[in-house]
Amino acid sequence: MKYISSLSSPVFNRHCGRTLAILGSTGSIGTSALKVVAKNRDALKVVALAGARNMSLLARQAETFRPECLGVLTEEKARELRALLPAGYNPQIFVGQDGYVALATLPETDLILAAQVGAAGLVPALAAARAGKVICLANKEALVLAGNLFRQTCQDSGAVILPVDSEHNALFQAFIGHGGKQVSRLILTASGGPFRTKSVEEIRAVTPAQALKHPNWSMGAKISIDSATMMNKGLEIIEAVHLYGASPSEVDVVVHPQSIVHSLVEYADGSQLAHLGMPDMEIPIGYCLGYPQRLNIGLERLNLAKVGTLTFEAPDLMRFPCLGLAREALAAGPSHPVVLNAANEIAVQAFLDGRITFTGIARLIERMLSNHSLTSVHDLEDILDLDAQTRTRSEEAIGKGEC
Ligand SMILES: NC(=O)c1ccc[n+]([C@@H]2O[C@H](COP(=O)([O-])OP(=O)(O)OC[C@H]3O[C@@H](n4cnc5c(N)ncnc54)[C@H](OP(=O)(O)O)[C@@H]3O)[C@@H](O)[C@H]2O)c1
């Protein structure tokens, strides 16, 4: 297996005053990252923050960290934000996707934390890769949509990707230490989500409020629903294939309800290296922001005697068909994951809006995948076109009550 990018950058020789741009600072990952920054002010300096719609939070973050640049989704949001900023503080406000791209490629930035949710994060993250940046990548959808393009771009530009997703961060730590040599399998752990022990009948009737209540992790709405359907693990299989240059059959999933073992790498002799820690995203975020050193995170330490029992079980594809759909999409070819992701994003929002049921999420994705024939997704434009077409078709199918 071969990691997606090189791991050399002059940034890694400096452990003080690293400059950081956070795209998605108002989200769950973004706010955790700012907690890490607050505990490591000498090591990290925020130069840009970007949210989309939550201007009161972005204004509070900006007031605390005083970056020179901010990013928002629309001109209206920019006006709202400006009115909320304290007198005498006049950062430059960037707007829309072009604005996010500008923030992802600022010459003065050492590290980009790509923490926007969904396909919206692809273009800025890819722009950062083209600019040869060190990218702390939380936005897994970017790799699901354009993993091959990222690999090529990192090779051409020298960009470095550090994985924030806790499972991939765990794999990274167990993989890179051994140079990726003689790896036979990557094993992603999954909590199983809030419906792990529910029957098919019970799962049919679950509400958005139940699905949003993850047993171990506090996360944004979209990834919480993805965890409940186990699509999150499906997306992570695709992410792992691209990050580590693994074949799909080399990536396994095991359900581990305690979320203490974050993933494992198996080597040629059958031994497995696991990464353990408390389920808190500050740990993998801090690992990436401080890489190759470890930052002060200051969280409760893992006490295995207190945890007592760690359990593992095989995932159930009957009750969680999204996991199987992700594998099918990965096997079918590079355009199918684009369809899978777009249909999933539309389905998750429709479920949260009460327009489809929980089980309708998998039905819609299955319908979109079965209607899709492999197409070329060599460049960004192909990917964005297919993403847009699938979103339109998915909304039409929901409108017609086809899922
Ligand atoms: N949360 C976790 O524990 C976790 C763990 C591993 C990986 N991840 C991945 O990290 C990413 C972020 O997850 P999250 O849980 O932090 O999500 P989240 O809480 O929903 O936050 C998403 C962020 O993206 C911004 N955003 C929303 N729509 C946008 C758009 N159209 N254009 C640009 N920005 C937009 C949001 O801004 P506003 O809020 O201002 O609208 C917010 O800052 C996802 O890809 C997720 O899969 C998350």
Side-chain angles (χ1 to χ4, degrees):
M1 293 183 202
K2 190 165 185 310
Y3 192 62
I4 188 168
S5 68
S6 88
L7 287 170
S8 94
S9 164
V11 172
F12 300 149
N13 300 327
R14 286 208 333 273
H15 304 298
C16 277
R18 286 183 180 180
T19 51
L20 168 67
I22 305 181
L23 305 184
S25 67
T26 48
S28 166
I29 291 289
T31 49
S32 293
L34 286 172
K35 286 184 194 161
V36 173
V37 174
K39 289 177 236 177
N40 293 276
R41 290 280 201 162
D42 289 345
L44 299 163
K45 176 180 176 348
V46 176
V47 293
L49 293 174
R53 302 175 187 88
N54 188 346
M55 293 304 102
S56 55
L57 179 55
L58 185 58
R60 271 183 276 130
Q61 294 177 338
E63 189 171 353
T64 306
F65 293 94
R66 299 284 170 137
E68 295 93 40
C69 304
L70 297 172
V72 299
L73 196 55
T74 61
E75 291 290 352
E76 192 190 339
K77 289 287 164 193
R79 281 192 293 278
E80 190 184 327
L81 178 64
R82 182 73 71 195
L84 292 168
L85 294 176
Y89 167 47
N90 289 305
Q92 196 174 349
I93 301 182
F94 293 76
V95 178
Q97 198 174 75
D98 289 348
Y100 297 134
V101 166
L103 294 180
T105 55
L106 289 172
E108 66 267 34
T109 310
D110 294 323
L111 302 168
I112 311 296
L113 175 58
Q116 294 170 323
V117 65
L122 167 62
V123 171
L126 192 60
R130 284 180 174 151
K133 296 287 186 186
V134 176
I135 306 161
C136 304
L137 188 70
N139 179 268
K140 66 190 84 186
E141 294 89 347
L143 285 183
V144 170
L145 292 168
N148 294 333
L149 202 49
F150 267 94
R151 182 170 282 269
Q152 189 57 55
T153 304
C154 289
Q155 253 176 43
D156 295 344
S157 70
V160 175
I161 295 190
L162 298 171
V164 169
D165 218 348
S166 59
E167 296 77 0
H168 303 74
N169 190 273
L171 293 176
F172 183 87
Q173 296 194 43
F175 179 94
I176 292 303
H178 294 255
K181 290 194 193 93
Q182 294 189 288
V183 172
S184 60
R185 210 157 51 111
L186 306 176
I187 305 161
L188 299 168
T189 51
S191 70
F195 308 137
R196 182 178 64 86
T197 57
K198 288 206 185 299
S199 66
V200 174
E201 290 69 36
E202 287 171 319
I203 288 175
R204 227 173 259 144
V206 299
T207 63
Q210 290 171 311
L212 285 168
K213 248 184 148 177
H214 195 277
N216 305 336
W217 298 94
S218 162
M219 308 184 286
K222 193 258 176 185
I223 187 174
S224 296
I225 303 302
D226 285 349
S227 296
T229 60
M230 289 197 74
M231 176 56 87
N232 185 46
K233 217 44 57 180
L235 299 178
E236 286 179 7
I237 293 172
I238 303 173
E239 183 184 8
V241 162
H242 288 302
L243 274 176
Y244 296 99
S247 69
S249 63
E250 290 170 324
V251 185
D252 274 351
V253 171
V254 65
V255 174
H256 166 49
Q258 297 80 22
S259 298
I260 295 293
V261 177
H262 296 307
S263 281
L264 307 95
V265 175
E266 183 181 272
Y267 286 87
D269 61 359
S271 59
Q272 298 185 352
L273 294 190
H275 173 273
L276 282 72
M278 296 297 283
D280 191 311
M281 288 306 295
E282 283 188 51
I283 297 172
I285 293 168
Y287 180 84
C288 292
L289 298 182
Y291 183 84
Q293 290 208 346
R294 290 179 193 259
L295 297 178
N296 162 36
I297 304 295
L299 296 174
E300 181 194 349
R301 296 285 158 138
L302 173 62
N303 178 338
L304 284 174
K306 206 163 140 193
V307 174
T309 309
L310 299 178
T311 62
F312 301 90
E313 62 202 43
D316 179 348
L317 296 187
M318 288 296 287
R319 287 181 303 133
F320 299 100
C322 284
L323 188 53
L325 290 172
R327 279 215 185 268
E328 283 169 29
L330 183 58
S335 62
H336 287 75
V338 179
V339 172
L340 174 96
N341 185 70
N344 181 55
E345 287 191 25
I346 295 294
V348 167
Q349 194 55 54
F351 168 65
L352 287 171
D353 297 342
R355 291 185 285 136
I356 64 172
T357 62
F358 185 75
T359 44
I361 296 175
R363 276 199 298 278
L364 178 71
I365 298 164
E366 190 169 16
R367 174 175 281 268
M368 289 301 124
L369 283 175
S370 60
N371 290 341
H372 176 68
S373 324
L374 192 62
T375 55
S376 150
V377 281
H378 284 312
D379 57 33
L380 182 60
E381 285 64 38
D382 295 340
I383 293 167
L384 295 177
D385 276 354
L386 181 56
D387 174 76
Q389 284 165 27
T390 309
R391 284 168 193 269
T392 306
R393 287 189 194 127
S394 300
E395 288 290 6
E396 284 167 3
I398 292 169
K400 289 186 199 151
E402 289 175 352
C403 48

